[in-house]
Amino acid sequence: MQAKDSSALSTAHALPSYLNSDHLGPWGIYLQQVDRVTPYLGSLARWVETLKRPKRILIVDVPIEMDDGRIAHFEGYRVQHNLSRGPGKGGVRFHQDVTLSEVMALSAWMSIKNAAVNVPYGGAKGGIRVDPRQLSKAELERLTRRYTSEIGLLIGPTKDIPAPDVNTNGQVMAWMMDTYSMNTGATATGVVTGKPVDLGGSLGRVEATGRGVFTVGVEAAKLTGLNVQGARVAVQGFGNVGGTAGKLFADAGAKVVAVQDHTGTIQNANGLDVTALLEHVGNTGGVGGFAGAEAMDAAAFWGVDCDILIPAALEGQITKENAGQIKAKLVIEGANGPTTPEADDILSEKGVLVLPDVIANAGGVTVSYFEWVQDFSSFFWTEDEINARLVRIMQEAFAGVWAVAQEHKVTLRTATFIVACKRILHAREARGLYP
């Protein structure tokens, strides 16, 4: 099925007035994915419009006093896509290019992701249009606390639980948790996940998304006859997700031969020293200038000779312009929405197996679920217990998706949507409409 352009989607869907029908952005990609899954929903298809409309959207003004005394205003969002299966769950990103369409799509992909691994959450997402690199730490804290106060009427341990995403981390979550707690008059560790361990965070949370990427990658390699030992791996983005996945693959005997991030693109056909590279990234903020590799042209990254490609940066990276260059047998999506529908079709025709974001990077939200459960019970598990539970859930979820893909002869992305959308719409149907 060929991907539709924005004008075709505008005709096919009743679009909300607050979106630009000529350029739907990431939300348009999500709508195409829902269109592809609809024929497989059976009687539940009568509820499919539920998936095409976020339940709740909050746009907030976030004013703060800058260090020099100026008053600056930033645009913030919190979108709850679907709450049929439980409270909202999804990250908060601080990025200068954040848009409402992007946050809507990310919240919807969270609905799919949570249902795919069968954790009892709906999908939500948040963001602020800001380049955090331009802020001091004090300004970043003020921005975080004001944003938390502005969205405070939506979030809560049983309502909507934020987590880290692009350019946010454990410290940001600590500020969010403290602000919410001050506003409600009681310490509420369960209002966010991805916190420091000393504040109710979970062991294993930082590495969880990358570990999930590695886990489903190994399962797919087994099913397709790809030997991880000696496999050549290329990674885009080398933060928590890409860096962790790269190290786990290297520890399993694979060779990381190319890495790209916002600071540069590097390669070493004999395999990069991943431990040294992670240390370099920690010291300098990126892979650029790493002594144990050669610099390469950024555009050439997509054509690098590899067996496994892990896009773990931002959405919209693999497009119809570069998908044809990809030589990997396996693409594992560590980022959210890194592959456009047009590129999906090209990769499918080339015989490249794509492990979609909505299953491949679900390790983060799975361990966030563990953190939330531990906070409620005030009883904490060991890191080995957490990793073992994560691997089991990811393996079982992937096996279920693989079986559906084989049954219907569809891509793993469509199969994941089949599994997830049926769970969401079963819940919607069983609950009915109130009032």
Side-chain angles (χ1 to χ4, degrees):
M1 178 179 176
Q2 291 300 308
K4 303 171 186 174
D5 61 21
S6 289
S7 59
L9 280 169
S10 300
T11 304
H13 296 284
L15 296 174
S17 61
Y18 47 80
L19 287 183
N20 179 355
S21 61
D22 295 327
H23 181 64
L24 290 177
W27 182 250
I29 293 176
Y30 166 73
L31 289 178
Q32 292 177 54
Q33 293 167 342
V34 173
D35 283 345
R36 293 186 179 201
V37 76
T38 302
Y40 303 96
L41 297 179
S43 63
L44 290 170
R46 71 186 286 257
W47 293 94
V48 76
E49 289 295 317
T50 302
L51 301 171
K52 300 177 187 177
R53 291 166 168 77
K55 177 179 178 62
R56 189 175 289 122
I57 295 173
L58 180 63
I59 303 174
V60 295
D61 175 44
V62 188
I64 64 167
E65 183 175 354
M66 306 296 281
D67 291 343
D68 61 6
R70 290 180 299 116
I71 303 299
H73 291 256
F74 300 91
E75 191 173 311
Y77 308 99
R78 188 67 185 176
V79 177
Q80 295 172 343
H81 173 256
N82 187 281
L83 305 181
S84 295
R85 300 182 69 253
K89 188 79 189 79
V92 174
R93 62 176 51 185
F94 292 173
H95 196 276
Q96 61 274 18
D97 297 326
V98 164
T99 65
L100 178 57
S101 170
E102 177 184 56
V103 180
M104 287 170 61
L106 291 166
S107 71
W109 286 325
M110 284 304 303
S111 293
I112 301 301
K113 191 182 305 182
N114 289 325
V117 292
N118 210 16
V119 295
Y121 289 137
K125 206 75 175 186
I128 304 177
R129 284 181 67 85
V130 61
D131 183 352
R133 294 171 296 184
Q134 304 301 314
L135 302 183
S136 69
K137 184 175 181 181
E139 290 168 338
L140 185 64
E141 179 176 356
R142 291 196 288 273
L143 181 77
T144 301
R145 290 184 180 278
R146 181 67 190 222
Y147 169 73
T148 306
S149 293
E150 295 291 349
I151 67 167
L153 67 164
L154 292 191
I155 63 173
T158 61
K159 295 164 62 178
D160 183 356
I161 306 105
D165 196 71
V166 175
N167 292 330
T168 57
N169 55 22
Q171 177 61 76
V172 171
M173 293 304 108
W175 289 329
M176 290 190 75
M177 188 273 283
D178 182 70
T179 303
Y180 179 86
S181 297
M182 293 301 101
N183 287 340
T184 57
T187 298
T189 55
V191 69
V192 296
T193 59
K195 306 178 294 296
V197 172
D198 289 346
L199 294 177
S202 178
L203 297 169
R205 173 61 183 87
V206 173
E207 301 84 11
T209 307
R211 189 174 298 279
V213 166
F214 171 73
T215 299
V216 297
V218 168
E219 292 303 298
K222 290 177 189 173
L223 292 165
T224 57
L226 174 63
N227 190 354
V228 172
Q229 182 85 28
R232 297 157 300 169
V233 181
V235 186
Q236 187 197 39
F238 217 63
N240 282 347
V241 181
T244 299
K247 185 172 191 310
L248 289 170
F249 271 109
D251 291 346
K255 292 192 296 185
V256 178
V257 296
V259 176
Q260 180 180 83
D261 70 3
H262 66 283
T263 66
T265 307
I266 60 173
Q267 65 175 343
N268 185 332
N270 295 319
L272 294 157
D273 182 336
V274 174
T275 301
L277 179 57
L278 287 169
E279 184 177 348
H280 174 81
V281 170
N283 291 333
T284 67
V287 303
F290 178 60
E294 303 170 5
M296 66 183 292
D297 180 69
F301 172 80
W302 302 106
V304 74
D305 202 10
C306 65
D307 302 298
I308 299 171
L309 173 63
I310 305 174
L314 293 171
E315 63 269 3
Q317 298 299 298
I318 302 178
T319 66
K320 62 183 179 182
E321 282 75 29
N322 60 28
Q325 304 170 33
I326 291 173
K327 297 174 182 172
K329 302 178 182 71
L330 199 58
V331 173
I332 315 172
E333 295 184 341
N336 290 310
T339 309
T340 66
E342 297 93 337
D344 246 349
D345 292 337
I346 292 168
L347 294 174
S348 181
E349 288 165 11
K350 281 165 55 80
V352 178
L353 184 64
V354 178
L355 308 189
D357 50 358
V358 284
I359 186 72
N361 70 24
V365 75
T366 302
V367 176
S368 278
Y369 168 57
F370 296 164
E371 180 176 334
W372 183 68
V373 169
Q374 291 171 92
D375 284 339
F376 268 119
S377 63
S378 297
F379 181 82
F380 291 84
W381 308 333
T382 67
E383 188 163 1
D384 285 346
E385 287 175 319
I386 288 160
N387 288 342
R389 291 170 191 258
L390 168 63
V391 169
R392 178 179 58 79
I393 285 176
M394 295 296 291
Q395 287 175 336
E396 290 175 355
F398 183 74
V401 166
W402 183 271
V404 170
Q406 302 304 303
E407 177 188 352
H408 294 290
K409 304 292 189 292
V410 294
T411 66
L412 289 176
R413 190 183 313 280
T414 298
T416 306
F417 268 72
I418 291 172
V419 171
C421 291
K422 283 186 174 181
R423 285 176 177 160
I424 295 168
L425 297 181
H426 269 304
R428 175 70 280 167
E429 184 176 60
R431 291 180 64 157
L433 295 176
Y434 174 86

